[in-house]
Amino acid sequence: MKLKLLSILLLVALSPVMAQEVIMLRDNIVSYSFLSDEDSLKQSKSVYVYYESGTCRLRTRYRWDEAAVKWIGISKTAYKYDSVSQVIQKSHYRWDNDQWRNISLKNSRYDYVGNVEAHAGYRWDEIEGRWKHYDRNEYVYNKEGFISLEKNLEWNEASSKLEPVSLQENDYTEDGRITKLREYVADSLTNEWQDARQVEYSYNDKDLMREQIISHYIAPEGGLAEWKNAARSLITYTHEGRPSRYTQYLWNSGIMNWENNYRVDLVYDSNGNVQSMTNLEWKTDEKKYIGSTRYYNKYDVEGNNTLGQIYSWNSLTS
């Protein structure tokens, strides 16, 4: 046996009748950890609660306590929506000493066409007993409706205000395919934007993303800063246009060339659902890819994911 089953996810869906239409909503997910091929142990569970509209109101995660023989709370996420079912608030809680305690809160604001304008994050201060500013993400869109600018700010206790941390600019083709992503970081002394990272994208003759090249803006000791290659990803597709393989390479400045690093292989069922995803790592000494983990999924006739299994590669039996 080359693949060892690590864990399994069982996904159960409810079928509430809403406006004379059956809508499949996920009810709970149960995860098991396999001690052997035949023996498993309950590990975790996620339970979902919905509004009448079908939007998720609450997701609660539990862990299985083998000694107490019961599910124990881990975390909880609550959602609030506006009149058009856009999430305007997300609250996170943790289970502690038999009660739910606040962790974080995120408020979201949208423009008139439904684009996110900003996310405002808060953290709960146990000592002061109130929500305090943590971070903020702001978005600007081009005329076609794609994000052209994203600015991230974090709360500075010393200055008692949100201060810029990073900035991202995106370029697109006329039909909305991203061609370049540029990231900047704020200089702590001058508060000016400094080059940090960029990603360049290219496409095949079917307008599907074929390649991504990541480079970093690095200043060698005693030298001038310049763009240097960091990573490269190639994507291949099935005849139907579904991604079948992602291959990642890392730049080796010693030989001035790309070297194998990682690979992900995808297999689909007859309905186009991802049946398996296999992660492989490049072993330089063996000069070949070696399996790392494999995810296997099953679906019902409506295409709902009902079973997820995770395997690890057993190198002793390979």
Side-chain angles (χ1 to χ4, degrees):
M1 183 187 67
K2 295 182 179 181
L3 286 170
K4 179 182 179 183
L5 185 57
L6 285 181
S7 64
I8 186 170
L9 301 175
L10 294 179
L11 301 95
V12 181
L14 291 178
S15 303
V17 177
M18 297 162 45
Q20 299 182 344
E21 181 182 2
V22 177
I23 299 179
M24 301 298 292
L25 300 175
R26 181 172 291 168
D27 176 47
N28 64 77
I29 301 175
V30 182
S31 174
Y32 296 84
S33 178
F34 274 73
L35 307 177
S36 68
D37 289 347
E38 294 79 26
D39 190 19
S40 64
L41 180 69
K42 289 179 182 176
Q43 191 174 38
S44 64
K45 178 173 72 170
S46 293
V47 177
Y48 298 80
V49 178
Y50 299 85
Y51 290 104
E52 290 184 1
S53 62
T55 53
C56 184
R57 180 172 67 85
L58 191 67
R59 179 197 178 200
T60 308
R61 293 182 63 243
Y62 301 87
R63 64 175 177 84
W64 179 253
D65 190 315
E66 191 67 24
V69 196
K70 66 177 182 179
W71 293 105
I72 304 294
I74 299 176
S75 63
K76 181 170 67 174
T77 304
Y79 304 86
K80 290 184 179 180
Y81 303 82
D82 60 17
S83 59
V84 291
S85 298
Q86 298 176 134
V87 178
I88 56 174
Q89 189 175 90
K90 186 187 295 186
S91 308
H92 296 283
Y93 309 86
R94 62 182 173 87
W95 185 252
D96 182 42
N97 292 326
D98 295 328
Q99 64 177 314
W100 290 108
R101 297 184 182 275
N102 294 324
I103 299 178
S104 62
L105 177 73
K106 183 170 73 174
N107 292 329
S108 301
R109 190 182 74 238
Y110 303 82
D111 63 19
Y112 71 98
V113 295
N115 294 319
V116 178
E117 287 187 324
H119 294 303
Y122 302 85
R123 292 290 175 90
W124 182 256
D125 189 306
E126 290 284 357
I127 298 176
E128 298 184 20
R130 66 183 181 92
W131 293 108
K132 299 182 70 173
H133 286 288
Y134 179 71
D135 63 3
R136 182 181 176 86
N137 308 110
E138 299 175 346
Y139 306 89
V140 176
Y141 298 80
N142 61 21
K143 61 181 181 180
E144 288 80 22
F146 300 105
I147 296 176
S148 59
L149 190 70
E150 176 183 340
K151 183 163 66 172
N152 303 306
L153 306 97
E154 292 183 357
W155 183 259
N156 187 321
E157 287 290 346
S159 62
S160 295
K161 66 179 182 179
L162 288 164
E163 296 185 348
V165 175
S166 63
L167 182 74
Q168 178 178 310
E169 293 180 335
N170 303 320
D171 293 338
Y172 302 87
T173 61
E174 291 183 357
D175 57 357
R177 288 175 291 129
I178 189 168
T179 56
K180 180 178 285 190
L181 176 156
R182 296 181 302 280
E183 291 182 353
Y184 308 87
V185 294
D187 186 287
S188 58
L189 298 177
T190 65
N191 234 20
E192 295 180 350
W193 295 115
Q194 305 288 331
D195 286 307
R197 188 179 81 113
Q198 72 176 19
V199 185
E200 297 176 287
Y201 305 86
S202 61
Y203 298 80
N204 61 22
D205 55 3
K206 295 182 179 179
D207 292 339
L208 299 172
M209 188 177 293
R210 182 184 66 86
E211 182 181 45
Q212 301 176 18
I213 296 180
I214 300 174
S215 54
H216 296 155
Y217 197 65
I218 299 174
E221 186 175 351
L224 297 175
E226 59 181 339
W227 289 105
K228 292 184 177 293
N229 289 328
R232 178 189 184 210
S233 296
L234 292 179
I235 309 170
T236 55
Y237 297 84
T238 64
H239 292 298
E240 297 80 16
R242 302 185 184 101
S244 59
R245 175 171 291 175
Y246 296 86
T247 308
Q248 185 195 69
Y249 306 87
L250 297 181
W251 181 255
N252 186 326
S253 57
I255 63 174
M256 297 298 289
N257 204 354
W258 297 107
E259 289 190 324
N260 294 327
N261 181 52
Y262 199 75
R263 198 178 87 196
V264 179
D265 291 342
L266 298 162
V267 176
Y268 300 83
D269 62 21
S270 58
N271 295 316
N273 300 307
V274 176
Q275 188 176 61
S276 69
M277 181 176 74
T278 305
N279 299 317
L280 305 100
E281 298 176 356
W282 178 258
K283 299 299 181 181
T284 303
D285 53 342
E286 300 179 46
K287 295 184 179 180
K288 65 178 181 179
Y289 284 101
I290 300 296
S292 172
T293 54
R294 174 176 289 173
Y295 301 85
Y296 183 77
N297 301 301
K298 287 186 178 180
Y299 304 83
D300 60 21
V301 293
E302 283 84 19
N304 297 301
N305 189 195
T306 58
L307 178 69
Q309 295 171 301
I310 305 174
Y311 296 82
S312 67
W313 184 261
N314 190 336
S315 59
L316 297 178
T317 57
S318 60

